[in-house]
Amino acid sequence: MSEYDAEHSDGAAQWEAASAEAEPAHPAQAAVTPADAADAARLVAYGLQPKLLPARDADYADLLRRHRDEPAFA
C-alpha cells in the first residue's frame, strides 16, 4: 500500500456514507436514471473531441441544451 493509499483509504467510504445520507438540495434533483447517466457520458465524450462543435452535431447540441435547461440532468 502506498503512502497516498494509506492516507486516503477511507475517503471513498466517507464520501459514500455522506452521499447516502444527503437529501437532494432541490426537488428536481431526483435519482439519476441509467439513460441520464449514458447521456451524460456521451456529453463528456463529445467534449473530449476538440474539433467537434455543437453547431455541427445535433445530438451534441441537444445534450448541451439539456445540461443548461434541466437541473436534474446537469
Side-chain angles (χ1 to χ4, degrees):
M1 180 180 281
S2 72
E3 185 177 312
Y4 178 84
D5 292 336
E7 290 178 13
H8 300 92
S9 62
D10 65 335
Q14 290 175 350
W15 182 84
E16 288 174 5
S19 62
E21 295 172 0
E23 294 182 21
H26 189 275
Q29 292 180 339
V32 176
T33 66
D36 286 342
D39 288 346
R42 285 193 356 256
L43 179 57
V44 170
Y46 283 130
L48 293 173
Q49 300 176 51
K51 292 185 179 183
L52 186 62
L53 300 173
R56 295 182 185 169
D57 189 293
D59 187 43
Y60 188 8
D62 183 52
L63 291 170
L64 281 175
R65 181 205 52 80
R66 281 187 67 197
H67 183 268
R68 282 192 306 264
D69 298 344
E70 298 177 21
F73 181 69

